[in-house]
Amino acid sequence: MKTNKNLTSFDEHLDKKYGKPGTASRTDFEIKAKAFAIGEIIKDERKNAKMTQEELANRTGTKKSFISRIENGHSDIQLSTLYKLIEQGLGKKINLSIQ
């Protein structure tokens, strides 16, 4: 099997662009990536519940603009806010695990 030396793995790309794991710039990137992923999960669950951002905001005592920022990964939310959005707003249960 031939390998193309011009190809880089995704991990190599991340190392080059954001630094090695454990560096400040890599940690910052990973935090932002996780915030984006959480926003996508909230957006998907909101859409599955056939709710608008405004309806979710009204159920949770927040503003539509706040929901939008979360769904677009532009807001760092507290764990209590995450629980409020998922459990109170969407009527779902949330499970967290540490690996």
Side-chain angles (χ1 to χ4, degrees):
M1 177 190 297
K2 289 185 179 180
T3 58
N4 186 335
K5 293 182 181 184
N6 294 325
L7 295 178
T8 58
S9 70
F10 186 66
D11 287 333
E12 290 169 332
H13 172 74
L14 291 177
D15 290 350
K16 183 177 179 182
K17 185 160 177 110
Y18 301 104
K20 297 278 184 191
T23 61
S25 59
R26 181 67 169 262
T27 299
D28 186 53
F29 165 76
E30 289 171 349
I31 288 169
K32 289 177 182 175
K34 286 181 173 74
F36 178 80
I38 289 169
E40 285 295 307
I41 291 168
I42 292 170
K43 184 187 331 182
D44 287 345
E45 289 300 322
R46 176 182 59 77
K47 288 181 176 183
N48 287 341
K50 296 182 179 15
M51 292 176 69
T52 65
Q53 289 178 341
E54 190 163 349
E55 289 170 328
L56 180 56
N58 288 338
R59 282 189 173 194
T60 57
T62 60
K63 295 185 177 184
K64 179 187 178 291
S65 60
F66 181 63
I67 301 297
S68 177
R69 285 194 316 273
I70 291 170
E71 289 184 356
N72 290 305
H74 297 301
S75 183
D76 191 12
I77 63 173
Q78 295 180 355
L79 186 57
S80 59
T81 304
L82 179 62
Y83 273 90
K84 184 188 243 185
L85 290 172
I86 300 297
E87 296 194 356
Q88 181 182 336
L90 297 170
K92 302 278 186 166
K93 292 290 180 189
I94 190 168
N95 266 329
L96 295 178
S97 66
I98 298 174
Q99 299 176 350

